[in-house]
């Protein structure tokens, strides 16, 4: 089966040009002018063709505060219609068990239920000697990044020794260490203090997790990475103070990288104070920050001090899930949606107003995640030999984001009312059309587990 995409404006991290793309089976076999000889022709005149989005930060069916986030089936269809063709989800080592057990559990949850390709990071919750010895086995199974939660005390938080040990061992095998950087001990103390004072509403969530605890943990993780002489990737950077720690390390030549998320670029802490417990919809960690942090984060993306924008998609219903914390904000499951909206938001609020260039947009939402997490050049670009994971984007239409029309399975959308300046028209996953005229036409189960390679982009800076 051959498919031809005609006359689209191909945009990669480095180029923009009008050409045809010929696909045979699952791969791109030619790019050029006046290509022919295909079974299906898709006219992309007047539209952009981007590489499929790669979202390196998702939590499908993630257990949190006694409940579980939205499932693979709905959320990966939402990803597809939103222009994302690969995710890297977080598998978690069950406490007292092995890393392999974590991987197998998540593999079983995803098998046959994903509309798009997927890989896994492994979150280490118990860094005993056996765990450390297992790291190389995970790398052989295509898991080439490991995450440590420096927060969520009493649940999945680890101490500095665990972080240091993983940094050292992961580096030996070409694997990247990632951190959720918040000082969990101090968050816990602040939460207890606020609860004892009867301060129980969602608006106290950011008070319990001030920017200083994020900046401190970011700085500590960076110092430990330097001691271990290992690369570090800081996830969901929410504020200027934390970003500055990463920038300083990068300017000194250390392999320290960071991700931010649409919620930190577009939303602010005022949402937490919405009446009728509506603020609970915006309880995610690190919390939303004062608006003054947004421009510094956009600038850091354009200047290269932050490398990616992951959605941190961890979606819960308002009714029955967020309401678990009605009497106490510390019990609200942390997380929000975004997998369906990430690409369009980044284009609409980044490219359209000129905060980032269109090539940097492609770099941030696809190419750099592919390079950083061992998927490049199979994914993350438009080139002969790469998987035909492609997004045809129509910049001439606009839609308003709303829970009423979304594919995400939850009962609200944190980006309700935001404009999408352009729509995802067509999406191909390894050559198969899974979205046509903005409608999902694929099958759940189209997605495959994708083994990731070690020694990704971060290792280019390791001395
Ligand atoms: O609030 C969030 N971000 N929930 C998901 C888990 C995490 O910390 O990434
Ligand atoms: Zn996190
Ligand atoms: Zn997360």
């Amino acid at each position: 089966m051959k498919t031809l995409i005609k006359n689209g404006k191909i945009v990669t991290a480095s180029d923009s040009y009008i050409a045809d793309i010929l696909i045979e089976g699952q791969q791109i076999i030619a790019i050029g002018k006046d290509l022919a000889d295909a079974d299906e022709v898709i006219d992309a005149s007047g539209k952009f063709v981007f590489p499929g989005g790669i979202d390196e930060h998702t939590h499908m069916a993630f257990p949190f505060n006694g409940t579980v986030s939205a499932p693979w089936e709905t959320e990966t269809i939402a990803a597809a219609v939103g222009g994302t063709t690969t995710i890297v989800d977080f598998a978690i080592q069950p406490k007292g068990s092995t890393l392999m057990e974590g991987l197998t559990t998540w593999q079983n949850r995803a098998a046959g239920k994903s509309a798009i390709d997927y890989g896994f990071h492994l979150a280490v919750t118990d860094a005993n000697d056996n765990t450390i010895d297992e790291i190389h086995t995970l790398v052989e199974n295509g898991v080439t990044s490991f995450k440590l939660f420096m927060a969520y005390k009493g649940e999945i938080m680890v101490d500095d020794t665990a972080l240091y040990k993983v940094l050292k061992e992961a580096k030996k095998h070409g694997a990247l260490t990632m951190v959720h950087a918040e000082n969990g001990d101090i968050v816990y103390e602040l939460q207890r203090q606020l609860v004892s004072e009867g301060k129980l509403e969602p608006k106290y969530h950011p008070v319990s997790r001030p920017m200083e605890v994020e900046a401190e943990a970011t700085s500590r993780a960076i110092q430990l990475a330097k001691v271990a002489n290992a690369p570090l990737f800081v996830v969901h950077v929410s504020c200027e103070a934390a970003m500055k720690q990463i920038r300083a390390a990068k300017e000194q030549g250390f392999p320290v990288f960071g991700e931010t998320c649409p919620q930190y670029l577009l939303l602010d802490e005022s949402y937490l104070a919405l009446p009728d417990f509506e603020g609970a919809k915006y309880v995610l960690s690190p919390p939303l920050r004062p608006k003054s942090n947004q421009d510094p984060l956009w600038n850091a993306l354009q200047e290269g001090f932050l490398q990616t924008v992951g959605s941190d998609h961890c979606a819960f219903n308002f009714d029955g899930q967020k309401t678990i914390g009605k009497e106490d904000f510390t019990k609200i499951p942390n997380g929000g949606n975004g997998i369906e909206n990430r690409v369009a938001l980044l284009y609409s609020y980044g490219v359209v107003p000129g905060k980032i260039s269109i090539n940097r947009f492609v770099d941030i939402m696809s190419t750099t995640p592919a390079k950083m997490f061992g998927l490049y050049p199979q994914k993350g670009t438009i080139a002969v030999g790469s998987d035909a994971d492609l997004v045809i984007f129509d910049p001439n239409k606009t839609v308003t984001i709303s829970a009423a029309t979304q594919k995400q399975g939850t009962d609200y959308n944190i980006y309700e009312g935001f404009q999408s300046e352009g729509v995802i028209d067509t999406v191909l996953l390894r050559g198969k059309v899974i979205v046509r005229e903005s409608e999902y036409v694929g099958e759940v189960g189209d997605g495959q587990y994708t083994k990731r390679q070690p020694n990704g982009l971060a290792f280019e800076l390791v001395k």
Side-chain angles (χ1 to χ4, degrees):
M1 166 81 179
K2 283 189 183 170
T3 307
L4 181 60
I5 300 176
K6 292 253 358 138
N7 291 321
K9 186 161 194 180
I10 297 172
V11 187
T12 67
S14 54
D15 283 310
S16 311
Y17 58 99
I18 294 177
D20 304 338
I21 301 172
L22 187 60
I23 299 157
E24 181 166 21
Q26 306 198 357
Q27 269 93 38
I28 296 169
I29 59 162
I31 300 173
K33 290 280 183 195
D34 302 322
L35 299 181
D37 184 25
D39 305 290
E40 182 183 358
V41 178
I42 300 172
D43 180 15
S45 310
K47 297 175 186 149
F48 292 121
V49 186
F50 303 137
I54 298 179
D55 190 343
E56 76 282 352
H57 192 153
T58 67
H59 303 274
M60 302 294 163
F62 179 60
F64 199 108
N65 272 10
T67 189
V68 179
S69 70
W72 282 84
E73 294 92 326
T74 51
E75 307 313 274
T76 55
I77 290 174
V81 298
T84 288
T85 48
T86 305
I87 55 172
V88 192
D89 199 73
F90 286 96
I92 314 281
Q93 174 191 22
K95 273 272 171 68
S97 186
T98 62
L99 298 181
M100 261 331 254
E101 175 71 24
L103 178 61
T104 309
T105 304
W106 256 259
Q107 292 272 26
N108 289 341
R109 281 186 197 155
K113 292 182 189 152
S114 187
I116 56 167
D117 286 353
Y118 57 95
F120 292 106
H121 315 281
L122 213 305
V124 178
T125 60
D126 182 4
N128 60 51
D129 289 350
N130 294 338
T131 305
I132 299 300
D133 284 349
E134 251 194 301
I135 283 180
H136 75 96
T137 314
L138 272 291
V139 173
E140 284 155 19
N141 279 276
V143 175
T144 54
S145 42
F146 295 86
K147 180 176 180 185
L148 289 305
F149 286 91
M150 299 169 79
Y152 304 132
K153 184 170 173 157
E155 293 168 44
I156 47 182
M157 174 173 146
V158 296
D159 62 14
D160 292 348
T161 311
L163 173 54
Y164 176 70
K165 283 184 178 172
V166 172
L167 278 161
K168 277 195 78 153
E169 186 68 14
K171 188 216 165 177
K172 268 198 226 163
H173 305 285
L176 182 59
T177 301
M178 311 163 79
V179 283
H180 169 134
E182 288 183 295
N183 184 322
D185 285 322
I186 305 305
V187 170
Y188 186 79
E189 276 315 300
L190 291 172
Q191 286 180 331
R192 300 282 64 83
Q193 195 181 311
L194 289 161
V195 169
S196 73
E197 291 166 4
K199 295 176 173 165
L200 300 167
E201 299 116 271
K203 69 179 181 191
Y204 293 107
H205 175 69
V207 183
S208 72
R209 312 177 91 99
M211 290 185 276
E212 289 78 4
V213 304
E214 183 183 349
E216 184 278 328
T218 305
S219 162
R220 182 159 34 103
I222 291 170
Q223 300 312 321
L224 295 179
K226 288 183 189 171
V227 178
N229 189 27
L232 179 74
F233 186 89
V234 184
V235 302
H236 52 38
V237 176
S238 75
C239 60
E240 184 178 17
M243 178 274 289
K244 279 182 167 170
Q245 303 295 328
I246 296 166
R247 190 175 72 190
K250 192 91 189 308
E251 281 173 341
Q252 291 160 14
F254 290 101
V256 176
F257 304 89
E259 165 207 71
T260 188
C261 310
Q263 55 270 35
Y264 305 119
L265 295 165
L266 298 173
L267 307 176
D268 64 73
E269 65 180 2
S270 65
Y271 286 81
L272 274 302
L274 287 173
D276 302 325
F277 195 60
E278 294 270 315
K281 295 177 175 176
Y282 302 89
V283 168
L284 37 88
S285 294
L288 299 179
R289 302 302 191 186
K291 215 174 174 52
S292 56
N293 288 275
Q294 293 173 359
D295 275 343
L297 293 179
W298 280 112
N299 292 341
L301 279 172
Q302 178 58 18
E303 289 163 4
F305 296 117
L306 293 175
Q307 281 70 38
T308 68
V309 175
S311 66
D312 196 4
H313 183 84
C314 186
F316 297 99
N317 278 319
F318 180 69
D319 273 331
Q321 291 194 296
K322 288 287 182 177
T323 48
I324 291 168
K326 193 121 181 66
E327 309 302 329
D328 176 354
F329 76 88
T330 67
K331 301 202 164 43
I332 299 170
N334 285 204
N337 65 278
I339 201 166
E340 184 170 348
N341 313 113
R342 180 185 72 110
V343 172
L345 287 171
L346 204 48
Y347 178 84
S348 307
Y349 293 89
V351 178
V352 172
K355 289 185 195 297
I356 52 172
S357 72
I358 195 160
N359 303 100
R360 183 72 183 133
F361 153 79
V362 168
D363 201 7
I364 288 166
M365 68 90 174
S366 180
T367 310
T368 293
K371 289 181 175 174
M372 189 73 70
F373 294 103
L375 293 161
Y376 190 86
Q378 181 189 353
K379 296 186 183 293
T381 192
I382 300 178
V384 171
S386 293
D387 283 357
D389 294 344
L390 298 167
V391 171
I392 303 177
F393 185 83
D394 186 347
N396 303 307
K397 292 184 181 161
T398 52
V399 288
T400 303
I401 293 171
S402 172
T405 50
Q406 71 182 3
K407 292 279 186 237
Q408 290 164 138
T410 42
D411 58 5
Y412 73 98
N413 186 321
I414 59 175
Y415 304 106
E416 185 76 33
F418 275 75
Q419 285 295 112
S420 177
E421 306 288 347
V423 298
I424 312 286
D425 180 273
T426 305
V427 179
L428 291 89
L429 175 70
R430 282 178 282 102
K432 177 176 174 179
V433 176
I434 59 167
V435 175
R436 205 187 284 280
E437 291 179 12
S438 303
E439 290 299 322
Y440 179 65
V441 294
E443 285 159 67
V444 169
D446 283 337
Q448 289 179 359
Y449 175 64
T450 309
K451 275 189 163 190
R452 296 182 294 115
Q453 301 301 313
N455 296 306
L457 181 63
F459 283 81
E460 284 178 14
L461 276 186
V462 176
K463 289 173 188 123

